[in-house]
Amino acid sequence: GIRDFTGTVGGNVSGTSDLAPLDQQAAMIQEWYPNAETVGLLYCAGEANSQYQVDAVQRCLEDMGYTCTQYAFADSNDVSAVCRAASDASDVLYVPTDNTAASNAPIIDNICRGVTPVFTGEEGVCRGCGAATLSISYYDIGHIAGEMAYEILANGADISTMPVKSAPQVVKKYNAANCEALGIAAPEGYEAIAAE
């Protein structure tokens, strides 16, 4: 419900955000698939953070000329059916930073591997079912949060004036196994996601 957000929440609230730059995620899809026409946006309707991400990415992709369709699943029970419909109707899929999608990445992978490229909002989901992602470092975010806490506790900083901070950098990463299954090579500047 915050209108005209400028980075500072006010009151007794501040912190960090793990939101990667959504315009850059959309640009990543264009970098890999400039001739694609349709992008399916696959996410859990019960996660407001996911709705925000797909809406923003959709606006960016439509500005680039793609036709986008949102495919929302209610919970884990209908991931398979919704993912299959999205894969069948789309040249490319985008999955945001979505907890339900992350826990169901093997299902998404079973449907899409070698068939439909999946671009994801973060590295964990990409490792499970994606081709590529624009990744942030959760370590960096935790470090920033610790610095903010120190400023408040040790130096008396006013939390109400502290802007919400994001990861200082993003890294382009790709899933080598999924790219191989799709018969595609990562563009220059991408690093392979390390196996777990």
Side-chain angles (χ1 to χ4, degrees):
I2 299 173
R3 298 193 185 280
D4 302 321
F5 180 65
T6 60
T8 303
V9 177
N12 196 28
V13 178
S14 189
T16 57
S17 170
D18 66 351
L19 184 65
L22 299 173
D23 58 337
Q24 291 180 41
Q25 289 186 355
M28 179 182 59
I29 293 171
Q30 185 179 45
E31 180 180 20
W32 284 68
Y33 286 93
N35 298 320
E37 295 179 1
T38 57
V39 179
L41 303 144
L42 182 67
Y43 68 102
C44 180
E47 297 187 36
N49 59 305
S50 297
Q51 185 69 64
Y52 173 83
Q53 291 172 77
V54 297
D55 287 345
V57 169
Q58 180 172 345
R59 283 191 298 274
C60 293
L61 289 170
E62 288 176 343
D63 286 348
M64 296 174 189
Y66 293 97
T67 299
C68 298
T69 304
Q70 293 187 14
Y71 294 90
F73 48 86
D75 54 36
S76 296
N77 295 323
D78 62 347
V79 170
S80 180
V82 174
C83 181
R84 190 164 305 284
S87 177
D88 289 346
S90 308
D91 296 326
V92 178
L93 292 183
Y94 172 76
V95 178
T97 305
D98 182 292
N99 294 319
T100 309
S103 62
N104 288 278
I107 294 171
I108 298 168
D109 189 52
N110 285 338
I111 293 167
C112 296
R113 184 180 286 249
V115 178
T116 308
V118 179
F119 291 83
T120 68
E122 61 92 27
E123 185 175 332
V125 178
C126 190
R127 180 180 284 110
C129 66
T133 187
L134 194 63
S135 186
I136 55 129
S137 166
Y138 284 93
Y139 176 86
D140 288 348
I141 290 176
H143 188 82
I144 291 168
E147 290 176 339
M148 293 171 75
Y150 178 83
E151 286 302 313
I152 294 164
L153 299 172
N155 296 330
D158 180 2
I159 193 170
S160 69
T161 63
M162 296 179 85
V164 174
K165 296 185 179 181
S166 298
Q169 61 184 1
V170 292
V171 180
K172 293 178 175 183
K173 294 194 173 185
Y174 71 99
N175 180 322
N178 280 359
C179 288
E180 182 178 351
L182 289 162
I184 57 175
E188 190 174 332
Y190 283 78
E191 66 180 58
I193 295 172
E196 287 189 321

